[in-house]
Amino acid sequence: MTDAMSSAPLIAGMTDTPGGGDTRSILNAAATLTRLGGSLMAPEVIAAMADAATRYVDLPAEYERVGARLAELTGNEDATVTAGAAAALTLTVASAITGPTPVDLKVFPWVPAHLPDRVVMLAAQRNEYDYAVEMLGVTIVEVQATAPSLRAALAGGRVACVLWFAGTQYPAAGLTLSDIVAIADDKGIPVIVDAAAQVPSISSFSDYTDGAGAAAAIFSGGKGIGGPQTTGFVLGRADLVAGVRAHASPHHGVGRGMKVGKEELAGALAAIERVMALDETELLAGYERVVEGWITGLGDLANSSTAAPLDSVERTYPSEAGQPHGRAELTVAPGGPSGEQLAALLWEGDPRVAVLVTGERSIALNPQPLQPGGEIAVLAAVRAAFGR
């Protein structure tokens, strides 16, 4: 998945452009949402981008140099940077259709008959991001999460690839990714994984490809990786990655408008180098400490009396995207504001606080997008919202 907002309920009250004309700061306790600017970049990422902005490069050669380093860091055959994860979807499927060295880049959206033009997806995983694939002119063939249904679709001819979406928000019980790969491999058909929001954990960089055998995995640069919001990554089989580069800018194919500049290349690499060096165990433990602090700090609102404004404050796991850390979920007592109304109150405050609505009477607070100390301001804002 490429944005947690796609599957989780929208941030209530968020009708204006974040920050547009409004001087109030924003505390993001929702998720690394594109609408909120993704994640925040570390100083070393910003420094790498600023340095790249001061010099010229051989851009195609830089693509390959950075890709080789990313592959080395993540344990994949090859890798490349794209203009976001949605662009990575488009370009990776384009590569699966034409191969690594397309004779003609101008084959989309009218795919000629000698090329495959079908993409197989589990019906339960259809979502708004598959338009990034449909724009190529392909037909998405829906299958049920059973081996016979998948085999029948793959035998139908002109299948370019199978597209599978990672994350708990796209459940499809019945077939594991490894099952799907095994069935697709029998037909020589690649499996592409959209794992946009699946960092943490950093093991995701190789779990889907080297581990489960998928041909390629796609990640967002501007979420858990903490890179430029306008970047994504394709990691995996060298031939698929080569085809991605062939269709991407600066070549004049379907990806010409999906431009990655020298600054984004430098920032993306710096972000991966940084995240690979983190102590992920301590990072996740820090998130859990924040959640525990919220539960403790809001406990009196649920336990003070029969007139308490909250029914409960509890840890839920995993995050909205299936990342391995908890959130604090607040359920409002009957007769109080709805989840959407509470989210709107928080968004209308100063500072503005973004949260995700998780039910008719509930919201969730996510520690991942916050800067150190931000959790204290979020706690104060929640208490102030109930005061209002």
Side-chain angles (χ1 to χ4, degrees):
M1 89 136 193
T2 49
D3 196 319
M5 188 179 283
S6 67
S7 58
L10 297 182
I11 299 174
M14 201 171 178
T15 56
D16 55 341
T17 302
D22 195 308
T23 59
R24 289 174 292 177
S25 61
I26 295 174
L27 292 170
N28 180 6
T32 52
L33 303 175
T34 295
R35 187 169 180 175
L36 289 170
S39 56
L40 301 181
M41 293 189 294
E44 55 263 49
V45 177
I46 297 170
M49 296 181 72
D51 176 67
T54 65
R55 51 193 168 81
Y56 293 105
V57 299
D58 178 342
L59 195 58
E62 191 70 357
Y63 264 113
E64 297 204 12
R65 185 192 73 79
V66 170
R69 176 60 176 153
L70 291 172
E72 178 187 10
L73 287 166
T74 61
N76 286 278
E77 279 187 23
D78 203 355
T80 195
V81 181
T82 61
L89 273 176
T90 303
L91 295 171
T92 309
V93 173
S95 173
I97 291 170
T98 66
T101 54
V103 175
D104 184 3
L105 291 178
K106 298 180 181 179
V107 296
F108 305 111
W110 300 282
V111 181
H114 70 280
L115 294 175
D117 68 346
R118 296 176 185 173
V119 174
V120 172
M121 283 186 64
L122 300 180
Q125 292 195 336
R126 291 298 304 271
N127 62 80
E128 55 265 52
Y129 292 105
D130 56 43
Y131 179 66
V133 174
E134 288 183 304
M135 65 183 284
L136 293 170
V138 304
T139 298
I140 292 181
V141 179
E142 295 184 5
V143 301
Q144 300 307 308
T146 66
S149 180
L150 178 58
R151 287 195 181 98
L154 298 182
R158 297 194 71 187
V159 176
C161 62
V162 178
L163 180 58
W164 188 83
F165 283 78
T168 54
Q169 71 276 36
Y170 297 115
L175 284 178
T176 66
L177 175 59
S178 295
D179 293 335
I180 293 169
V181 169
I183 293 169
D185 276 354
D186 284 343
K187 297 290 185 180
I189 294 172
V191 176
I192 298 167
V193 175
D194 182 327
Q198 300 310 303
V199 176
S201 127
I202 59 172
S203 66
S204 295
F205 291 140
S206 58
D207 282 349
Y208 300 110
T209 49
D210 185 55
I218 290 164
F219 297 88
S220 171
K223 295 187 183 298
I225 294 171
Q229 170 67 359
T230 52
T231 59
F233 301 90
V234 182
L235 312 177
R237 219 167 66 191
D239 62 323
L240 266 181
V241 173
V244 169
R245 282 196 287 262
H247 287 285
S249 177
H251 304 126
H252 289 276
V254 68
R256 183 62 181 86
M258 304 172 188
K259 183 181 293 184
V260 177
K262 61 186 187 297
E263 297 82 8
E264 285 80 17
L265 283 173
L269 177 55
I272 291 284
E273 290 177 332
R274 173 183 174 273
V275 80
M276 294 298 293
L278 287 176
D279 182 339
E280 190 169 68
T281 300
E282 176 53 32
L283 176 71
L284 295 175
Y287 292 161
E288 295 297 340
R289 287 193 292 271
V290 170
V291 172
E292 290 170 8
W294 282 332
I295 293 172
T296 300
L298 297 170
D300 64 303
L301 297 183
N303 301 316
S304 59
S305 70
T306 55
L310 290 177
D311 250 1
S312 63
V313 183
E314 59 184 358
R315 175 184 181 269
T316 56
Y317 180 94
S319 74
E320 80 295 330
Q323 296 157 329
H325 64 79
R327 298 185 298 174
E329 186 157 4
L330 285 58
T331 301
V332 179
S338 68
E340 290 190 358
Q341 289 170 333
L342 179 55
L345 279 171
L346 289 165
W347 182 249
E348 292 162 5
D350 187 6
R352 312 188 95 165
V353 177
V355 299
L356 288 185
V357 180
T358 54
E360 184 179 347
R361 294 189 291 118
S362 61
I363 64 170
L365 307 179
N366 185 347
Q368 184 197 15
L370 291 166
Q371 292 287 85
E375 72 277 9
I376 298 171
V378 169
L379 176 61
V382 172
R383 297 189 67 88
F386 278 105
R388 296 204 302 275

